[in-house]
Amino acid sequence: MSERSLRGTQLGSRSLETEEGVEPAPRQMVEFECEDGTKFKVPFSIEAEVPSTWDSGIHGIGTRVGVNEPDGEPGKHVRSHWDMLLERRSFDELQVLLDERLAVRRGEVPAQA
């Protein structure tokens, strides 16, 4: 019987709370402009850190109106294996090692253990 009494009340799909007395967070509207000249506004909280670029979803990436440059931090250079090798040995030392290994590979010199 209890199944029949709950049927049709939509208890799982609708909240019974009202929005009375609920105050939304203060917002600011920030304007962005795409490369094709399309302008769009995005709401942000007043406390939020607003980015200088935003994807419009239709026209591509837009830059914030009133900001000169995007806030792209200069990327940290990723050290490659070659960079780390050059920190330990000079280019001349590496050339000597390469010549020795090539001679071993060609069979000109017996390999050392």
Side-chain angles (χ1 to χ4, degrees):
M1 281 305 265
S2 63
E3 292 176 11
R4 286 185 176 201
S5 63
L6 292 178
R7 189 178 305 164
T9 60
Q10 300 176 351
L11 280 178
S13 64
R14 192 181 316 164
S15 173
L16 299 177
E17 291 185 22
T18 64
E19 293 187 14
E20 257 182 61
V22 175
E23 204 172 300
R27 304 200 181 272
Q28 60 180 334
M29 295 300 287
V30 180
E31 188 174 20
F32 294 90
E33 183 175 8
C34 295
E35 289 182 8
D36 64 356
T38 306
K39 291 186 178 184
F40 61 96
K41 292 184 179 183
V42 179
F44 286 95
S45 170
I46 296 219
E47 299 152 356
E49 185 176 324
V50 180
S52 60
T53 60
W54 192 265
D55 188 1
S56 73
I58 299 171
H59 300 279
I61 304 291
T63 53
R64 187 173 171 191
V65 175
V67 175
N68 295 338
E69 296 179 11
D71 56 47
E73 297 176 2
K76 183 179 178 185
H77 174 67
V78 178
R79 292 183 349 181
S80 67
H81 178 72
W82 180 249
D83 294 333
M84 290 185 268
L85 192 60
L86 287 176
E87 289 174 5
R88 294 191 306 268
R89 298 190 186 267
S90 71
F91 191 76
D92 294 331
E93 290 174 319
L94 291 173
Q95 187 64 46
V96 169
L97 287 173
L98 176 64
D99 292 339
E100 287 175 6
R101 294 311 300 166
L102 287 174
V104 169
R105 189 84 174 137
R106 292 181 188 128
E108 298 170 3
V109 178
Q112 297 175 356

Short mmCIF file of all heavy atoms in Angstrom, two decimals, residues 26-90:
data_model
loop_
_atom_site.label_atom_id
_atom_site.label_comp_id
_atom_site.label_asym_id
_atom_site.label_seq_id
_atom_site.Cartn_x
_atom_site.Cartn_y
_atom_site.Cartn_z
N PRO A 26 26.81 38.00 -4.86
CA PRO A 26 26.95 39.17 -5.73
C PRO A 26 27.79 38.82 -6.96
O PRO A 26 28.79 38.11 -6.86
CB PRO A 26 27.64 40.21 -4.87
CG PRO A 26 28.03 39.53 -3.62
CD PRO A 26 27.39 38.21 -3.56
N ARG A 27 27.38 39.31 -8.11
CA ARG A 27 28.03 38.96 -9.37
C ARG A 27 28.45 40.21 -10.13
O ARG A 27 27.94 41.29 -9.92
CB ARG A 27 27.10 38.14 -10.24
CG ARG A 27 26.61 36.90 -9.54
CD ARG A 27 26.11 35.89 -10.52
NE ARG A 27 25.63 34.71 -9.83
CZ ARG A 27 26.39 33.67 -9.52
NH1 ARG A 27 27.64 33.67 -9.80
NH2 ARG A 27 25.88 32.64 -8.89
N GLN A 28 29.37 39.98 -11.04
CA GLN A 28 29.80 41.03 -11.97
C GLN A 28 29.76 40.45 -13.37
O GLN A 28 30.03 39.28 -13.58
CB GLN A 28 31.21 41.52 -11.63
CG GLN A 28 32.27 40.42 -11.70
CD GLN A 28 33.64 40.93 -11.37
OE1 GLN A 28 33.91 42.11 -11.54
NE2 GLN A 28 34.51 40.05 -10.91
N MET A 29 29.40 41.26 -14.35
CA MET A 29 29.38 40.81 -15.73
C MET A 29 30.67 41.28 -16.39
O MET A 29 31.01 42.46 -16.37
CB MET A 29 28.17 41.40 -16.47
CG MET A 29 26.84 40.90 -15.96
SD MET A 29 26.63 39.12 -16.08
CE MET A 29 26.39 38.92 -17.81
N VAL A 30 31.41 40.33 -16.96
CA VAL A 30 32.70 40.63 -17.60
C VAL A 30 32.53 40.41 -19.09
O VAL A 30 32.01 39.38 -19.52
CB VAL A 30 33.82 39.73 -17.03
CG1 VAL A 30 35.14 40.04 -17.69
CG2 VAL A 30 33.92 39.91 -15.53
N GLU A 31 32.99 41.38 -19.88
CA GLU A 31 32.83 41.31 -21.33
C GLU A 31 34.10 40.79 -21.99
O GLU A 31 35.21 41.19 -21.64
CB GLU A 31 32.49 42.69 -21.88
CG GLU A 31 32.11 42.67 -23.34
CD GLU A 31 31.63 44.03 -23.83
OE1 GLU A 31 31.94 45.05 -23.18
OE2 GLU A 31 30.95 44.06 -24.85
N PHE A 32 33.92 39.89 -22.94
CA PHE A 32 35.01 39.31 -23.72
C PHE A 32 34.73 39.56 -25.19
O PHE A 32 33.58 39.66 -25.60
CB PHE A 32 35.13 37.80 -23.46
CG PHE A 32 35.54 37.46 -22.06
CD1 PHE A 32 34.61 37.26 -21.07
CD2 PHE A 32 36.88 37.33 -21.74
CE1 PHE A 32 34.99 36.94 -19.78
CE2 PHE A 32 37.28 37.00 -20.44
CZ PHE A 32 36.33 36.80 -19.47
N GLU A 33 35.81 39.63 -25.98
CA GLU A 33 35.66 39.84 -27.42
C GLU A 33 36.52 38.83 -28.18
O GLU A 33 37.69 38.66 -27.88
CB GLU A 33 36.07 41.26 -27.80
CG GLU A 33 35.86 41.57 -29.27
CD GLU A 33 36.15 43.02 -29.60
OE1 GLU A 33 36.65 43.75 -28.74
OE2 GLU A 33 35.88 43.41 -30.74
N CYS A 34 35.90 38.14 -29.16
CA CYS A 34 36.61 37.16 -29.98
C CYS A 34 37.36 37.86 -31.10
O CYS A 34 37.16 39.05 -31.35
CB CYS A 34 35.63 36.15 -30.57
SG CYS A 34 34.82 35.15 -29.32
N GLU A 35 38.21 37.12 -31.81
CA GLU A 35 38.98 37.68 -32.91
C GLU A 35 38.09 38.17 -34.04
O GLU A 35 38.44 39.11 -34.75
CB GLU A 35 39.97 36.64 -33.44
CG GLU A 35 41.11 36.36 -32.50
CD GLU A 35 42.09 35.35 -33.08
OE1 GLU A 35 41.97 35.00 -34.27
OE2 GLU A 35 42.98 34.93 -32.34
N ASP A 36 36.93 37.54 -34.22
CA ASP A 36 36.03 37.95 -35.29
C ASP A 36 35.16 39.14 -34.91
O ASP A 36 34.29 39.55 -35.67
CB ASP A 36 35.17 36.78 -35.76
CG ASP A 36 34.24 36.25 -34.67
OD1 ASP A 36 34.31 36.74 -33.52
OD2 ASP A 36 33.45 35.35 -34.97
N GLY A 37 35.37 39.71 -33.72
CA GLY A 37 34.64 40.89 -33.29
C GLY A 37 33.40 40.59 -32.46
O GLY A 37 32.74 41.51 -32.00
N THR A 38 33.07 39.34 -32.26
CA THR A 38 31.90 38.97 -31.47
C THR A 38 32.18 39.24 -30.00
O THR A 38 33.20 38.84 -29.47
CB THR A 38 31.58 37.48 -31.65
OG1 THR A 38 31.45 37.20 -33.03
CG2 THR A 38 30.31 37.11 -30.91
N LYS A 39 31.24 39.94 -29.36
CA LYS A 39 31.38 40.24 -27.93
C LYS A 39 30.36 39.41 -27.16
O LYS A 39 29.24 39.20 -27.62
CB LYS A 39 31.15 41.72 -27.67
CG LYS A 39 32.25 42.60 -28.21
CD LYS A 39 32.06 44.04 -27.80
CE LYS A 39 33.22 44.87 -28.32
NZ LYS A 39 33.14 46.26 -27.87
N PHE A 40 30.77 38.94 -25.99
CA PHE A 40 29.86 38.20 -25.12
C PHE A 40 30.22 38.50 -23.68
O PHE A 40 31.33 38.90 -23.37
CB PHE A 40 29.92 36.69 -25.42
CG PHE A 40 31.27 36.06 -25.20
CD1 PHE A 40 31.58 35.42 -24.01
CD2 PHE A 40 32.23 36.12 -26.19
CE1 PHE A 40 32.82 34.84 -23.82
CE2 PHE A 40 33.48 35.54 -26.00
CZ PHE A 40 33.77 34.90 -24.82
N LYS A 41 29.22 38.33 -22.80
CA LYS A 41 29.41 38.61 -21.38
C LYS A 41 29.26 37.32 -20.59
O LYS A 41 28.43 36.48 -20.91
CB LYS A 41 28.40 39.64 -20.89
CG LYS A 41 28.62 41.01 -21.48
CD LYS A 41 27.66 42.01 -20.90
CE LYS A 41 27.93 43.39 -21.49
NZ LYS A 41 27.05 44.41 -20.92
N VAL A 42 30.08 37.22 -19.54
CA VAL A 42 30.05 36.05 -18.66
C VAL A 42 29.92 36.54 -17.22
O VAL A 42 30.65 37.44 -16.81
CB VAL A 42 31.36 35.22 -18.82
CG1 VAL A 42 31.34 34.02 -17.90
CG2 VAL A 42 31.56 34.81 -20.26
N PRO A 43 28.98 35.97 -16.45
CA PRO A 43 28.86 36.39 -15.05
C PRO A 43 29.91 35.69 -14.18
O PRO A 43 30.14 34.50 -14.31
CB PRO A 43 27.44 35.94 -14.67
CG PRO A 43 27.16 34.80 -15.58
CD PRO A 43 27.90 35.06 -16.85
N PHE A 44 30.54 36.47 -13.32
CA PHE A 44 31.50 35.94 -12.35
C PHE A 44 31.13 36.46 -10.97
O PHE A 44 30.57 37.55 -10.84
CB PHE A 44 32.92 36.41 -12.67
CG PHE A 44 33.54 35.73 -13.85
CD1 PHE A 44 33.49 36.30 -15.11
CD2 PHE A 44 34.20 34.52 -13.70
CE1 PHE A 44 34.07 35.69 -16.19
CE2 PHE A 44 34.78 33.89 -14.78
CZ PHE A 44 34.72 34.47 -16.03
N SER A 45 31.49 35.70 -9.97
CA SER A 45 31.32 36.18 -8.61
C SER A 45 32.27 37.36 -8.40
O SER A 45 33.32 37.45 -9.01
CB SER A 45 31.66 35.06 -7.62
OG SER A 45 31.73 35.58 -6.31
N ILE A 46 31.88 38.26 -7.53
CA ILE A 46 32.73 39.42 -7.26
C ILE A 46 34.05 38.98 -6.66
O ILE A 46 35.09 39.58 -6.88
CB ILE A 46 31.99 40.40 -6.32
CG1 ILE A 46 30.79 40.92 -7.05
CG2 ILE A 46 32.91 41.48 -5.78
CD1 ILE A 46 30.40 42.32 -6.90
N GLU A 47 34.04 37.87 -5.90
CA GLU A 47 35.24 37.40 -5.24
C GLU A 47 36.13 36.56 -6.16
O GLU A 47 37.26 36.24 -5.82
CB GLU A 47 34.85 36.56 -4.02
CG GLU A 47 34.06 37.35 -3.01
CD GLU A 47 33.13 36.47 -2.19
OE1 GLU A 47 33.05 35.27 -2.46
OE2 GLU A 47 32.49 37.02 -1.29
N ALA A 48 35.64 36.19 -7.35
CA ALA A 48 36.38 35.31 -8.25
C ALA A 48 37.51 36.07 -8.95
O ALA A 48 37.41 37.27 -9.22
CB ALA A 48 35.46 34.72 -9.29
N GLU A 49 38.58 35.34 -9.24
CA GLU A 49 39.68 35.89 -10.02
C GLU A 49 39.30 35.72 -11.50
O GLU A 49 39.20 34.61 -12.00
CB GLU A 49 40.97 35.15 -9.72
CG GLU A 49 42.17 35.73 -10.41
CD GLU A 49 43.44 35.00 -10.00
OE1 GLU A 49 43.55 34.60 -8.83
OE2 GLU A 49 44.29 34.83 -10.88
N VAL A 50 39.07 36.82 -12.18
CA VAL A 50 38.58 36.78 -13.56
C VAL A 50 39.75 36.54 -14.52
O VAL A 50 40.73 37.29 -14.49
CB VAL A 50 37.86 38.09 -13.91
CG1 VAL A 50 37.35 38.06 -15.34
CG2 VAL A 50 36.71 38.33 -12.93
N PRO A 51 39.66 35.52 -15.38
CA PRO A 51 40.73 35.28 -16.34
C PRO A 51 40.70 36.30 -17.47
O PRO A 51 39.68 36.95 -17.71
CB PRO A 51 40.41 33.88 -16.87
CG PRO A 51 38.94 33.75 -16.71
CD PRO A 51 38.59 34.53 -15.47
N SER A 52 41.81 36.43 -18.18
CA SER A 52 41.85 37.40 -19.28
C SER A 52 41.36 36.81 -20.59
O SER A 52 41.11 37.53 -21.53
CB SER A 52 43.27 37.95 -19.44
OG SER A 52 44.14 36.89 -19.73
N THR A 53 41.20 35.48 -20.65
CA THR A 53 40.63 34.83 -21.84
C THR A 53 39.52 33.87 -21.41
O THR A 53 39.56 33.33 -20.30
CB THR A 53 41.69 34.04 -22.63
OG1 THR A 53 42.25 33.04 -21.80
CG2 THR A 53 42.77 34.96 -23.16
N TRP A 54 38.55 33.66 -22.31
CA TRP A 54 37.43 32.76 -22.02
C TRP A 54 36.93 32.18 -23.33
O TRP A 54 36.83 32.89 -24.32
CB TRP A 54 36.32 33.54 -21.32
CG TRP A 54 35.27 32.66 -20.72
CD1 TRP A 54 34.09 32.29 -21.29
CD2 TRP A 54 35.30 32.04 -19.44
NE1 TRP A 54 33.38 31.48 -20.44
CE2 TRP A 54 34.11 31.30 -19.30
CE3 TRP A 54 36.23 32.02 -18.40
CZ2 TRP A 54 33.81 30.57 -18.16
CZ3 TRP A 54 35.92 31.29 -17.27
CH2 TRP A 54 34.73 30.58 -17.15
N ASP A 55 36.60 30.90 -23.33
CA ASP A 55 36.10 30.24 -24.54
C ASP A 55 34.61 30.52 -24.67
O ASP A 55 33.83 30.19 -23.78
CB ASP A 55 36.36 28.74 -24.45
CG ASP A 55 36.05 28.01 -25.74
OD1 ASP A 55 35.64 28.67 -26.71
OD2 ASP A 55 36.21 26.78 -25.77
N SER A 56 34.21 31.10 -25.81
CA SER A 56 32.80 31.43 -26.01
C SER A 56 31.97 30.20 -26.32
O SER A 56 30.75 30.22 -26.16
CB SER A 56 32.65 32.44 -27.15
OG SER A 56 32.89 31.82 -28.39
N GLY A 57 32.61 29.14 -26.78
CA GLY A 57 31.88 27.94 -27.13
C GLY A 57 31.38 27.94 -28.55
O GLY A 57 31.05 26.91 -29.10
N ILE A 58 31.31 29.10 -29.18
CA ILE A 58 30.83 29.20 -30.56
C ILE A 58 31.88 29.86 -31.45
O ILE A 58 32.22 29.34 -32.50
CB ILE A 58 29.52 30.01 -30.62
CG1 ILE A 58 28.44 29.31 -29.80
CG2 ILE A 58 29.06 30.21 -32.06
CD1 ILE A 58 27.19 30.13 -29.63
N HIS A 59 32.39 30.99 -31.01
CA HIS A 59 33.30 31.79 -31.83
C HIS A 59 34.76 31.64 -31.44
O HIS A 59 35.61 32.34 -31.96
CB HIS A 59 32.91 33.27 -31.74
CG HIS A 59 31.53 33.53 -32.21
ND1 HIS A 59 31.21 33.64 -33.54
CD2 HIS A 59 30.36 33.67 -31.55
CE1 HIS A 59 29.91 33.86 -33.67
NE2 HIS A 59 29.38 33.88 -32.46
N GLY A 60 35.07 30.77 -30.51
CA GLY A 60 36.46 30.56 -30.11
C GLY A 60 36.81 31.28 -28.83
O GLY A 60 35.95 31.65 -28.03
N ILE A 61 38.10 31.51 -28.64
CA ILE A 61 38.61 32.13 -27.42
C ILE A 61 38.47 33.64 -27.53
O ILE A 61 38.90 34.26 -28.50
CB ILE A 61 40.10 31.78 -27.20
CG1 ILE A 61 40.30 30.26 -27.17
CG2 ILE A 61 40.64 32.43 -25.94
CD1 ILE A 61 39.72 29.58 -25.97
N GLY A 62 37.88 34.22 -26.51
CA GLY A 62 37.74 35.67 -26.46
C GLY A 62 38.65 36.26 -25.41
O GLY A 62 38.91 35.64 -24.38
N THR A 63 39.16 37.45 -25.68
CA THR A 63 40.00 38.15 -24.70
C THR A 63 39.14 39.17 -23.96
O THR A 63 38.21 39.74 -24.52
CB THR A 63 41.19 38.85 -25.37
OG1 THR A 63 40.71 39.68 -26.42
CG2 THR A 63 42.19 37.86 -25.90
N ARG A 64 39.50 39.40 -22.72
CA ARG A 64 38.74 40.30 -21.87
C ARG A 64 38.87 41.73 -22.39
O ARG A 64 39.96 42.20 -22.71
CB ARG A 64 39.26 40.20 -20.45
CG ARG A 64 38.46 40.96 -19.45
CD ARG A 64 38.95 40.65 -18.06
NE ARG A 64 38.32 41.53 -17.11
CZ ARG A 64 38.69 41.65 -15.85
NH1 ARG A 64 39.69 40.94 -15.40
NH2 ARG A 64 38.08 42.47 -15.05
N VAL A 65 37.74 42.40 -22.48
CA VAL A 65 37.72 43.78 -22.93
C VAL A 65 38.28 44.66 -21.82
O VAL A 65 37.91 44.54 -20.67
CB VAL A 65 36.28 44.22 -23.30
CG1 VAL A 65 36.24 45.69 -23.66
CG2 VAL A 65 35.74 43.37 -24.42
N GLY A 66 39.23 45.52 -22.18
CA GLY A 66 39.83 46.41 -21.21
C GLY A 66 41.12 45.89 -20.62
O GLY A 66 41.76 46.56 -19.83
N VAL A 67 41.55 44.69 -21.00
CA VAL A 67 42.81 44.12 -20.55
C VAL A 67 43.75 44.09 -21.74
O VAL A 67 43.38 43.60 -22.81
CB VAL A 67 42.61 42.70 -19.98
CG1 VAL A 67 43.94 42.08 -19.61
CG2 VAL A 67 41.70 42.75 -18.77
N ASN A 68 44.97 44.61 -21.56
CA ASN A 68 45.90 44.71 -22.68
C ASN A 68 46.42 43.38 -23.15
O ASN A 68 46.41 43.07 -24.32
CB ASN A 68 47.08 45.62 -22.30
CG ASN A 68 46.63 47.04 -22.07
OD1 ASN A 68 45.58 47.44 -22.55
ND2 ASN A 68 47.40 47.78 -21.31
N GLU A 69 46.92 42.55 -22.24
CA GLU A 69 47.53 41.28 -22.62
C GLU A 69 46.94 40.15 -21.80
O GLU A 69 46.57 40.33 -20.66
CB GLU A 69 49.05 41.32 -22.37
CG GLU A 69 49.78 42.33 -23.20
CD GLU A 69 51.26 42.34 -22.89
OE1 GLU A 69 51.74 41.43 -22.18
OE2 GLU A 69 51.94 43.26 -23.35
N PRO A 70 46.88 38.96 -22.39
CA PRO A 70 46.46 37.80 -21.59
C PRO A 70 47.44 37.56 -20.46
O PRO A 70 48.63 37.86 -20.58
CB PRO A 70 46.49 36.64 -22.58
CG PRO A 70 46.44 37.27 -23.92
CD PRO A 70 47.06 38.63 -23.78
N ASP A 71 46.94 36.99 -19.35
CA ASP A 71 47.79 36.80 -18.18
C ASP A 71 48.60 35.50 -18.28
O ASP A 71 48.80 34.82 -17.29
CB ASP A 71 46.97 36.81 -16.89
CG ASP A 71 45.85 35.78 -16.91
OD1 ASP A 71 46.06 34.62 -17.27
OD2 ASP A 71 44.75 36.18 -16.56
N GLY A 72 49.04 35.18 -19.46
CA GLY A 72 49.83 33.97 -19.64
C GLY A 72 51.19 34.12 -18.97
O GLY A 72 51.98 34.97 -19.33
N GLU A 73 51.44 33.29 -17.97
CA GLU A 73 52.73 33.34 -17.30
C GLU A 73 53.76 32.72 -18.23
O GLU A 73 53.47 31.77 -18.94
CB GLU A 73 52.67 32.55 -16.00
CG GLU A 73 51.69 33.10 -15.00
CD GLU A 73 51.59 32.23 -13.76
OE1 GLU A 73 52.32 31.22 -13.68
OE2 GLU A 73 50.80 32.55 -12.89
N PRO A 74 54.95 33.27 -18.24
CA PRO A 74 55.97 32.66 -19.10
C PRO A 74 56.21 31.23 -18.65
O PRO A 74 56.46 30.96 -17.48
CB PRO A 74 57.20 33.54 -18.89
CG PRO A 74 56.93 34.34 -17.67
CD PRO A 74 55.44 34.39 -17.49
N GLY A 75 56.09 30.33 -19.60
CA GLY A 75 56.21 28.91 -19.27
C GLY A 75 57.61 28.55 -18.84
O GLY A 75 58.60 29.07 -19.35
N LYS A 76 57.71 27.66 -17.89
CA LYS A 76 58.99 27.19 -17.42
C LYS A 76 59.59 26.29 -18.49
O LYS A 76 58.93 25.41 -19.02
CB LYS A 76 58.81 26.42 -16.11
CG LYS A 76 60.11 25.96 -15.50
CD LYS A 76 59.87 25.23 -14.20
CE LYS A 76 61.17 24.74 -13.63
NZ LYS A 76 60.96 23.93 -12.44
N HIS A 77 60.85 26.52 -18.80
CA HIS A 77 61.52 25.73 -19.82
C HIS A 77 61.67 24.30 -19.32
O HIS A 77 62.19 24.06 -18.24
CB HIS A 77 62.89 26.33 -20.14
CG HIS A 77 63.70 25.50 -21.07
ND1 HIS A 77 63.35 25.32 -22.39
CD2 HIS A 77 64.84 24.79 -20.90
CE1 HIS A 77 64.24 24.53 -22.97
NE2 HIS A 77 65.15 24.20 -22.08
N VAL A 78 61.21 23.36 -20.12
CA VAL A 78 61.31 21.95 -19.76
C VAL A 78 62.67 21.45 -20.22
O VAL A 78 63.01 21.55 -21.39
CB VAL A 78 60.19 21.13 -20.43
CG1 VAL A 78 60.34 19.67 -20.08
CG2 VAL A 78 58.84 21.66 -20.00
N ARG A 79 63.44 20.95 -19.27
CA ARG A 79 64.78 20.48 -19.61
C ARG A 79 64.69 19.11 -20.26
O ARG A 79 64.08 18.20 -19.73
CB ARG A 79 65.63 20.39 -18.35
CG ARG A 79 65.95 21.73 -17.77
CD ARG A 79 66.85 21.68 -16.58
NE ARG A 79 67.06 20.34 -16.05
CZ ARG A 79 67.80 20.06 -15.00
NH1 ARG A 79 68.38 21.02 -14.35
NH2 ARG A 79 67.95 18.83 -14.58
N SER A 80 65.30 19.00 -21.40
CA SER A 80 65.32 17.71 -22.10
C SER A 80 66.52 16.89 -21.61
O SER A 80 67.38 17.38 -20.86
CB SER A 80 65.42 17.94 -23.61
OG SER A 80 66.67 18.50 -23.93
N HIS A 81 66.58 15.66 -22.08
CA HIS A 81 67.71 14.80 -21.73
C HIS A 81 69.01 15.43 -22.23
O HIS A 81 70.04 15.40 -21.54
CB HIS A 81 67.51 13.41 -22.35
CG HIS A 81 68.64 12.47 -22.10
ND1 HIS A 81 68.87 11.92 -20.86
CD2 HIS A 81 69.61 12.00 -22.91
CE1 HIS A 81 69.94 11.14 -20.93
NE2 HIS A 81 70.41 11.17 -22.16
N TRP A 82 68.97 16.00 -23.42
CA TRP A 82 70.15 16.64 -24.00
C TRP A 82 70.62 17.82 -23.14
O TRP A 82 71.81 18.00 -22.92
CB TRP A 82 69.83 17.08 -25.42
CG TRP A 82 70.96 17.74 -26.12
CD1 TRP A 82 71.05 19.06 -26.47
CD2 TRP A 82 72.18 17.15 -26.57
NE1 TRP A 82 72.24 19.32 -27.10
CE2 TRP A 82 72.95 18.16 -27.18
CE3 TRP A 82 72.71 15.86 -26.50
CZ2 TRP A 82 74.21 17.92 -27.71
CZ3 TRP A 82 73.96 15.63 -27.05
CH2 TRP A 82 74.68 16.64 -27.64
N ASP A 83 69.68 18.62 -22.66
CA ASP A 83 70.04 19.76 -21.80
C ASP A 83 70.74 19.29 -20.52
O ASP A 83 71.73 19.88 -20.10
CB ASP A 83 68.79 20.57 -21.42
CG ASP A 83 68.16 21.26 -22.62
OD1 ASP A 83 68.90 21.56 -23.58
OD2 ASP A 83 66.94 21.49 -22.58
N MET A 84 70.20 18.24 -19.92
CA MET A 84 70.81 17.73 -18.68
C MET A 84 72.19 17.11 -18.96
O MET A 84 73.10 17.21 -18.14
CB MET A 84 69.88 16.70 -18.03
CG MET A 84 68.63 17.35 -17.45
SD MET A 84 67.62 16.17 -16.57
CE MET A 84 66.52 15.66 -17.87
N LEU A 85 72.34 16.49 -20.12
CA LEU A 85 73.63 15.92 -20.50
C LEU A 85 74.67 17.02 -20.69
O LEU A 85 75.82 16.89 -20.26
CB LEU A 85 73.46 15.10 -21.78
CG LEU A 85 74.62 14.21 -22.19
CD1 LEU A 85 74.90 13.18 -21.12
CD2 LEU A 85 74.32 13.54 -23.51
N LEU A 86 74.25 18.11 -21.32
CA LEU A 86 75.19 19.23 -21.53
C LEU A 86 75.56 19.93 -20.23
O LEU A 86 76.58 20.63 -20.17
CB LEU A 86 74.60 20.23 -22.51
CG LEU A 86 74.56 19.78 -23.97
CD1 LEU A 86 73.87 20.82 -24.84
CD2 LEU A 86 75.96 19.49 -24.50
N GLU A 87 74.75 19.76 -19.18
CA GLU A 87 75.11 20.33 -17.89
C GLU A 87 76.24 19.53 -17.24
O GLU A 87 77.01 20.08 -16.46
CB GLU A 87 73.90 20.33 -16.96
CG GLU A 87 72.84 21.34 -17.34
CD GLU A 87 71.59 21.21 -16.49
OE1 GLU A 87 71.58 20.40 -15.53
OE2 GLU A 87 70.62 21.92 -16.78
N ARG A 88 76.33 18.24 -17.56
CA ARG A 88 77.35 17.38 -16.95
C ARG A 88 78.63 17.30 -17.76
O ARG A 88 79.70 17.11 -17.22
CB ARG A 88 76.78 15.97 -16.76
CG ARG A 88 75.66 15.91 -15.75
CD ARG A 88 75.31 14.48 -15.41
NE ARG A 88 75.01 13.64 -16.55
CZ ARG A 88 73.81 13.43 -17.05
NH1 ARG A 88 72.78 14.03 -16.51
NH2 ARG A 88 73.63 12.62 -18.08
N ARG A 89 78.52 17.40 -19.08
CA ARG A 89 79.70 17.24 -19.94
C ARG A 89 79.72 18.33 -21.01
O ARG A 89 78.67 18.81 -21.42
CB ARG A 89 79.67 15.89 -20.64
CG ARG A 89 79.72 14.72 -19.67
CD ARG A 89 79.93 13.45 -20.44
NE ARG A 89 79.84 12.27 -19.60
CZ ARG A 89 80.86 11.70 -19.01
NH1 ARG A 89 82.07 12.19 -19.17
NH2 ARG A 89 80.70 10.63 -18.28
N SER A 90 80.93 18.64 -21.47
CA SER A 90 81.04 19.62 -22.56
C SER A 90 80.77 18.93 -23.89
O SER A 90 80.78 17.70 -23.99
CB SER A 90 82.45 20.24 -22.57
OG SER A 90 83.39 19.28 -23.00
#
